[in-house]
Amino acid sequence: MSQELFPRGQWKSRVGFILAASGSAIGLGNIVFFSANAYRFGGGAFYLPYLLALFVFGIPVMILEFGLGNFTGRAFPESLHRVAGRKGEFVGWWANLNAGFITMYYITILSWVIGMFFGAFGALWRESLPVPAFGMAEGELSNPYAYFFHMLSTWKPILFVAIVWIFNILIVRRGAETIESATKVFVPLMWIFMVILIIRGVTLDNGVQGVYLLFTPNFSVMKDPAVWQGAFAQTFFSLSLGFGIMTAYASYLPKKSDLTTNSVITSLLDSGFAYIAGLAVFSILFAFAIVPQASTLGMMFFIIPQGIGEMPQNSVTTFGVVFFALLLLAGLTSSVSLVEALVSSMRDKFGWSRKKTIAVASVIGFTGSAIFALPQVVNPGLEDNGTLGLTLLDLVDHWSFSYGLLIIGFCECILVGWVLGADKIRIHLNENSKIKLGLWFDILIKYIIPLALLLVLGYSVWGEVQNGIYGTAYGENYNEKFSFLRFAPRIVVVYWLVICSVVAFVLARRGSFAKAE
Ligand code: PHE
């Protein structure tokens, strides 16, 4: 264990910090997952639960994560250690490991985005390639499906995974400093690309109809707990909460920062982006009467490209390229934050050099992302509207996303709210913030948020038990060649729960933290 002081780095400006934090928050979640969820839960029916989730949970937990990082000046595990000893540290590592899985598959998804980006220059709209993984000949499956599954059944995504990892390494190379420089270019560019897409979308014939659907509220669906669960999970994921990212990022801020206002600005930028992305997506799909009944990934790789493909001939390539470039930029600034959160936690603990930490994190991460990208790990049944359905990725996503984030959100509220005392964080936050938090903040953190998270989690577990914990449908759609995937659900649950817990336990039990500047 190195006893030398190691430099943790600092943001150069407040704007730089907000761009980086909003760059983390704005990602695939805003551009496609939000629209997919909004559609799934009945358009306008989604936005009230979503807005409520944003104000009652999202913003307060963001304030809490920022506060924690700035109060302690450390990333998640060490900051929770300072709050609650080794128990707290366990939660911090568990969050990091859970985030590690998400990093792996998030980067795999980005590798597919790279493939589609190249395709958008031409092939994606033209040829209908054969899909050897399904035994399908040329022309048997139409685009964009054929293009996508053709790509998935080659080794190309592994190459693209390497490219995404290299980008990540380059951007986190010097921590806050290089992240700030990259996000200063990427984030404004994302907004510009988004505006271009909206203008194209709403100027299509009938495009505006889609906008009505997004904004027409429907109160009757709100009795359905699934809507609420969807809104909560979406809020956490979209704001990058429950990963320790915001804590790591805020630990690079000077102590005298206005954290509350920064949290509010970051959250509003994030949800604002999701809404305007919704305008673009819904208008494009409605203009061509495409029903976006697909999983989130299906929306990104099939449904939206299908809409773009229907546009007037001279628009297709341009808007296809803009769409995938936008996804790539948004995804990169998000994945960078995931990698930085992990690197930051490891450096706090081990005091390793930045180079060494990045090397260790990226070798492990690359391996994981490559496993998700292995050719032919796809659902050959093409059920569920041709989505990837029951792949490993879907399964890991199910646990680390739908459960992991909410469990961590619950734990951090309990640790900060009860063990440290919500008032301590509130007092620290109020010292330098224009927006002053009242007692209501303590009440939210100590009672309301944990209780609501428990209810949502309880409801989800109940559903899980009713479907058979591993989901009865899993495995049935695979043909013989893939029948081993029957066991995937079990393996993934065990892996996610047991491995994360054991590793987090070991890390939290052992050693102390390195001293940082
Ligand atoms: N917030 C990102 C999105 O909306 C996803 C993400 C979550 C990225 C956590 C990094 C960390 O896509």
Side-chain angles (χ1 to χ4, degrees):
M1 188 93 20
S2 144
Q3 282 310 314
E4 284 163 39
L5 293 185
F6 72 90
R8 293 189 89 260
Q10 232 180 42
W11 304 107
K12 286 204 277 296
S13 65
R14 179 172 183 188
V15 174
F17 168 75
I18 292 180
L19 284 176
S22 68
S24 165
I26 300 172
L28 306 178
N30 304 62
I31 302 169
V32 277
F33 303 173
F34 175 80
S35 303
N37 276 325
Y39 184 82
R40 187 161 128 229
F41 296 121
F46 191 60
Y47 86 64
L48 270 183
Y50 177 78
L51 272 186
L52 212 84
L54 177 71
F55 283 98
V56 181
F57 305 92
I59 296 180
V61 175
M62 171 90 76
I63 294 175
L64 184 152
E65 291 203 0
F66 275 173
L68 189 64
N70 193 254
F71 184 62
T72 60
R74 293 294 182 274
F76 215 37
E78 186 173 354
S79 58
L80 286 176
H81 187 112
R82 293 187 180 198
V83 165
R86 298 206 183 267
K87 275 196 285 314
E89 192 184 338
F90 171 82
V91 174
W93 286 116
W94 201 87
N96 269 192
L97 290 158
N98 188 59
F101 285 128
I102 297 187
T103 315
M104 290 171 186
Y105 74 73
Y106 200 81
I107 286 184
T108 309
I109 297 175
L110 284 180
S111 78
W112 297 335
V113 172
I114 293 194
M116 298 296 273
F117 172 74
F118 288 134
F121 284 94
L124 179 58
W125 321 112
R126 264 199 322 266
E127 308 145 29
S128 169
L129 299 160
V131 187
F134 310 151
M136 284 182 173
E138 194 179 321
E140 240 180 278
L141 192 65
S142 62
N143 271 339
Y145 298 86
Y147 180 88
F148 181 78
F149 285 113
H150 176 84
M151 169 176 77
L152 249 64
S153 37
T154 68
W155 293 92
K156 274 193 222 154
I158 307 240
L159 174 71
F160 299 148
V161 160
I163 294 176
V164 182
W165 268 103
I166 290 170
F167 264 111
N168 271 284
I169 293 169
L170 289 177
I171 300 175
V172 298
R173 181 171 93 248
R174 286 211 288 277
E177 189 188 329
T178 35
I179 297 175
E180 189 164 347
S181 313
T183 43
K184 269 193 176 145
V185 179
F186 287 6
V187 174
L189 210 56
M190 269 153 52
W191 283 89
I192 295 174
F193 283 0
M194 193 73 246
V195 171
I196 296 177
L197 284 174
I198 296 173
I199 295 177
R200 177 67 278 199
V202 295
T203 51
L204 291 166
D205 290 342
N206 289 328
V208 181
Q209 299 301 326
V211 177
Y212 293 143
L213 182 86
L214 182 61
F215 286 109
T216 312
N218 171 352
F219 296 99
S220 64
V221 218
M222 271 176 241
K223 284 191 262 28
D224 180 0
V227 176
W228 294 93
Q229 196 234 349
F232 281 25
Q234 171 67 26
T235 306
F236 264 72
F237 184 77
S238 179
L239 293 176
S240 302
L241 300 174
F243 295 87
I245 291 175
M246 294 306 176
T247 303
Y249 270 20
S251 73
Y252 303 142
L253 274 175
K255 286 270 184 236
K256 287 209 170 323
S257 308
D258 181 343
L259 298 160
T260 311
T261 313
N262 286 352
S263 317
V264 174
I265 296 176
T266 308
S267 309
L268 293 182
L269 284 174
D270 179 74
S271 50
F273 201 94
Y275 269 109
I276 66 165
L279 296 184
V281 171
F282 275 69
S283 58
I284 291 173
L285 299 185
F286 269 71
F288 305 112
I290 296 174
V291 180
Q293 252 165 2
S295 75
T296 45
L297 286 183
M299 185 90 165
M300 166 156 61
F301 292 121
F302 310 134
I303 309 292
I304 299 174
Q306 209 175 327
I308 295 175
E310 302 265 350
M311 282 182 183
Q313 206 56 41
N314 55 3
S315 292
V316 174
T317 307
T318 314
F319 291 94
V321 171
V322 167
F323 174 68
F324 285 109
L326 168 65
L327 287 183
L328 203 55
L329 288 177
L332 265 179
T333 49
S334 297
S335 65
V336 158
S337 70
L338 281 163
V339 176
E340 178 59 30
L342 300 177
V343 167
S344 182
S345 305
M346 286 160 74
R347 292 193 75 211
D348 282 353
K349 179 89 182 179
F350 305 117
W352 291 343
S353 72
R354 190 158 256 284
K355 242 197 194 141
K356 176 174 172 186
T357 321
I358 293 177
V360 172
S362 44
V363 166
I364 301 174
F366 169 79
T367 311
S369 305
I371 290 176
F372 288 120
L374 283 178
Q376 313 201 350
V377 184
V378 293
N379 172 9
L382 272 188
E383 260 117 56
D384 306 323
N385 299 307
T387 65
L388 291 183
L390 315 169
T391 60
L392 287 178
L393 187 148
D394 238 9
L395 291 167
V396 178
D397 178 69
H398 178 74
W399 296 102
S400 51
F401 169 57
S402 307
Y403 288 89
L405 301 185
L406 302 186
I407 295 174
I408 294 154
F410 173 80
C411 294
E412 62 185 327
C413 286
I414 297 295
L415 292 175
V416 176
W418 292 91
V419 183
L420 175 73
D423 50 336
K424 292 225 177 63
I425 280 280
R426 177 165 52 88
I427 291 165
H428 172 76
L429 288 160
N430 281 349
E431 261 166 35
N432 298 300
S433 297
K434 285 212 191 63
I435 305 175
K436 302 286 180 218
L437 302 170
L439 211 57
W440 54 265
F441 178 76
D442 300 18
I443 297 173
L444 279 178
I445 298 293
K446 289 173 79 166
Y447 304 98
I448 300 187
I449 301 179
L451 207 69
L453 287 174
L454 262 193
L455 282 177
V456 168
L457 280 165
Y459 166 78
S460 314
V461 173
W462 175 240
E464 215 78 54
V465 171
Q466 290 197 316
N467 291 326
I469 274 280
Y470 304 110
T472 44
Y474 288 146
E476 280 167 16
N477 298 331
Y478 293 97
N479 62 22
E480 253 169 54
K481 193 164 145 210
F482 292 90
S483 60
F484 64 93
L485 282 174
R486 278 194 323 278
F487 302 109
R490 281 150 226 259
I491 296 170
V492 169
V493 178
V494 171
Y495 198 68
W496 169 74
L497 208 60
V498 178
I499 307 251
C500 280
S501 307
V502 170
V503 178
F505 183 77
V506 171
L507 282 169
R509 293 288 308 171
R510 310 190 56 165
S512 53
F513 287 94
K515 294 211 170 25
E517 276 176 13

